[in-house]
C-alpha cells in the first residue's frame, strides 16, 4: 500500500512541476546576438519594433533591391536571430527584402513569451511594415519556423498575404506535449496551445509546408495533417532524409522562392 501511495504522490508532484514550469520548457529563450555585420550581413539594419503593450523587439531588416516580396521570418525556439543569419542570407542574396523578428524574451528582448504575447509581437511586425515601408499585405511572405508557425497561422487566418510558409510546423503544442508526457492529461494542462490544426482551414493565403520525414522534435505526421486540412492553394516539400533543424542543408529556400513567385500577384 505504501508503494501505491508513494507512486500517486510522485505522479501528482511531477504533474504539478510540469504545469508550473511549462513555459520554461516551451519557450527556451536566448541571449543577445552579435550585430548583423558579424554574420556577413553588412546591408542589414538593426531596428526596433514597438508592440502595443510597450515591448521593444530587436529585429533585422534588409530593404531589398527591385520589385520583390518581403520575407517576414518568425524564428523557432531556442535561437537568437543571429543563429538564423545564414538562412535569411540566402534570400538576401536573391535581392529579396527580409524582416527577421526576435520574439520578446529572445535575442535580449525584454518581456515574457506566451501564446498571447507572441501574437502581439507578430501583429507589431506587420504593423511596422505597413507604416514604415512601401510593402502591402499582398507583398508579404509570412515564414513560420517551428514555434513561429503558430504565429504565422494566427496571422494567416486574419490577413491575406502573398504566401505563408511553414517550416517543421506542429498541429498544436498540446499534441506535442501528449506525445512526450503520455501519462498526464496534457490537453487540459497546456496553457499555450498554438492550435494550428484548428486554424489551418481558415487561412486566406497560398500555403507551402516544408518538413523533414526524420524530424526528431516535431514528428513529420504533424505537417501531413496540416497539409491535408488546409483549404487554400497549397504545396508541400517533404524531404526523406531531413530532420528538424537541417532543412536548409537541402536548399529549401529554392522552393520558398519558386512557390511564392508562382502565386504572388
Amino acid at each position: 500500500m505504501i508503494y501505491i501511495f508513494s507512486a500517486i504522490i510522485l505522479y501528482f508532484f511531477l504533474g504539478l512541476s510540469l504545469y508550473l514550469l511549462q513555459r520554461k520548457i516551451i519557450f527556451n529563450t536566448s541571449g543577445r546576438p552579435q550585430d548583423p555585420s558579424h554574420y556577413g550581413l553588412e546591408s542589414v539594419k538593426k531596428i526596433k519594433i514597438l508592440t502595443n503593450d510597450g515591448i521593444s523587439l530587436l529585429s533585422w531588416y534588409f530593404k531589398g533591391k527591385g520589385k520583390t516580396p518581403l520575407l517576414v521570418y518568425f524564428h523557432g525556439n531556442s535561437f537568437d536571430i543571429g543563429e538564423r543569419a545564414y538562412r535569411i542570407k540566402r534570400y538576401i542574396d536573391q535581392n529579396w527584402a527580409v524582416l527577421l523578428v526576435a520574439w520578446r524574451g529572445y535575442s535580449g528582448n525584454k518581456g515574457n513569451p506566451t501564446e498571447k504575447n507572441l501574437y502581439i509581437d507578430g501583429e507589431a511586425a506587420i504593423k511596422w511594415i505597413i507604416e514604415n515601408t512601401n510593402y502591402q499585405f499582398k507583398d508579404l511572405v509570412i515564414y513560420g519556423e517551428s514555434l513561429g508557425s503558430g504565429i504565422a497561422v494566427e496571422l494567416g487566418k486574419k490577413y491575406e498575404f502573398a504566401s505563408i510558409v511553414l517550416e517543421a510546423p506542429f498541429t498544436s503544442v498540446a499534441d506535442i506535449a501528449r506525445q512526450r508526457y503520455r501519462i498526464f492529461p496534457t490537453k487540459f494542462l497546456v496553457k499555450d496551445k498554438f492550435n494550428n490544426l484548428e486554424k489551418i482551414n481558415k487561412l486566406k493565403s497560398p500555403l507551402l509546408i516544408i518538413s523533414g520525414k526524420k524530424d526528431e522534435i516535431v514528428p513529420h505526421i504533424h505537417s501531413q495533417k496540416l497539409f491535408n486540412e488546409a483549404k487554400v492553394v497549397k504545396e508541400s516539400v517533404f524531404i526523406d532524409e531531413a530532420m528538424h533543424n537541417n532543412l536548409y542543408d537541402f536548399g529549401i529556400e529554392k522552393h520558398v522562392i519558386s512557390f511564392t513567385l508562382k502565386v504572388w500577384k
Side-chain angles (χ1 to χ4, degrees), residues 199-225:
K199 303 173 184 177
I200 198 78
N201 63 359
K202 300 179 178 66
L203 295 185
K204 302 177 182 293
S205 312
L207 173 67
L208 175 64
I209 297 182
I210 304 172
S211 175
K213 293 184 180 180
K214 292 187 177 180
D215 194 314
E216 75 286 12
I217 296 176
V218 180
H220 174 61
I221 189 66
H222 287 244
S223 290
Q224 292 177 308
K225 288 180 178 180

Side-chain angles (χ1 to χ4, degrees), residues 6 11 20 32 35 44 48-49 67 73 84 104 126 145 162-163 165 174 176 179 196 199 218 257 261-262:
S6 297
Y11 174 83
L20 295 175
R32 186 178 298 277
D35 288 341
V44 172
K48 293 286 189 178
I49 295 176
K67 183 61 175 176
Y73 195 108
R84 287 299 173 253
R104 67 183 68 200
I126 302 303
E145 174 201 359
S163 66
V165 179
I176 295 290
Q179 293 165 357
N196 289 338
K199 303 173 184 177
V218 180
I257 291 171
L261 293 181
K262 184 165 53 178

Side-chain angles (χ1 to χ4, degrees), residues 96-108:
W96 273 39
V98 176
L99 177 66
L100 174 56
V101 182
W103 307 121
R104 67 183 68 200
Y106 294 80
S107 295

Side-chain angles (χ1 to χ4, degrees), residues 32-262:
R32 186 178 298 277
Q34 301 287 336
D35 288 341
S37 59
H38 176 81
Y39 306 95
L41 302 176
E42 287 79 8
S43 299
V44 172
K45 295 182 179 180
K46 289 196 303 182
I47 64 170
K48 293 286 189 178
I49 295 176
L50 187 65
T51 68
N52 65 12
D53 59 345
I55 299 294
S56 180
L57 303 176
L58 172 67
S59 300
W60 291 356
Y61 178 60
F62 176 71
K63 187 176 182 179
K65 301 175 182 178
K67 183 61 175 176
T68 64
L70 168 57
L71 183 85
V72 185
Y73 195 108
F74 293 150
H75 69 79
N77 207 7
S78 304
F79 301 108
D80 67 59
I81 55 177
E83 294 173 282
R84 287 299 173 253
Y86 76 97
R87 291 172 167 230
I88 67 168
K89 187 177 187 300
R90 300 195 185 190
Y91 301 99
I92 291 171
D93 287 346
Q94 299 300 314
N95 292 321
W96 273 39
V98 176
L99 177 66
L100 174 56
V101 182
W103 307 121
R104 67 183 68 200
Y106 294 80
S107 295
N109 291 333
K110 296 180 179 179
N112 298 313
T114 66
E115 180 178 12
K116 177 183 176 181
N117 287 345
L118 265 55
Y119 291 160
I120 292 173
D121 294 352
E123 289 278 5
I126 302 303
K127 181 181 179 182
W128 183 90
I129 293 168
I130 299 303
E131 293 181 351
N132 293 277
T133 76
N134 293 323
Y135 290 98
Q136 303 300 316
F137 289 99
K138 63 182 179 62
D139 302 316
L140 307 184
V141 179
I142 306 301
Y143 190 111
E145 174 201 359
S146 195
L147 174 64
S149 70
I151 297 86
V153 170
E154 175 67 16
L155 293 173
K157 70 185 182 68
K158 299 173 67 176
Y159 307 111
E160 185 174 355
F161 300 109
S163 66
I164 294 174
V165 179
L166 304 180
E167 177 195 339
F170 47 80
T171 52
S172 72
V173 170
D175 288 341
I176 295 290
R178 184 168 61 250
Q179 293 165 357
R180 295 184 182 180
Y181 310 106
R182 296 181 182 275
I183 64 172
F184 297 106
T186 52
K187 179 180 179 181
F188 305 102
L189 298 177
V190 171
K191 298 177 183 178
D192 304 288
K193 293 181 170 56
F194 290 103
N195 196 334
N196 289 338
L197 188 61
E198 186 179 81
K199 303 173 184 177
I200 198 78
N201 63 359
K202 300 179 178 66
L203 295 185
K204 302 177 182 293
S205 312
L207 173 67
L208 175 64
I209 297 182
I210 304 172
S211 175
K213 293 184 180 180
K214 292 187 177 180
D215 194 314
E216 75 286 12
I217 296 176
V218 180
H220 174 61
I221 189 66
H222 287 244
S223 290
Q224 292 177 308
K225 288 180 178 180
L226 290 169
F227 185 79
N228 291 339
E229 190 68 18
K231 306 301 181 187
V232 293
V233 173
K234 58 186 178 181
E235 288 186 10
S236 64
V237 178
F238 296 158
I239 302 173
D240 290 339
E241 298 302 315
M243 301 175 72
H244 190 73
N245 287 312
N246 71 344
L247 284 158
Y248 273 80
D249 291 348
F250 298 87
I252 64 170
E253 74 281 355
K254 298 174 184 177
H255 298 284
V256 175
I257 291 171
S258 63
F259 175 76
T260 297
L261 293 181
K262 184 165 53 178

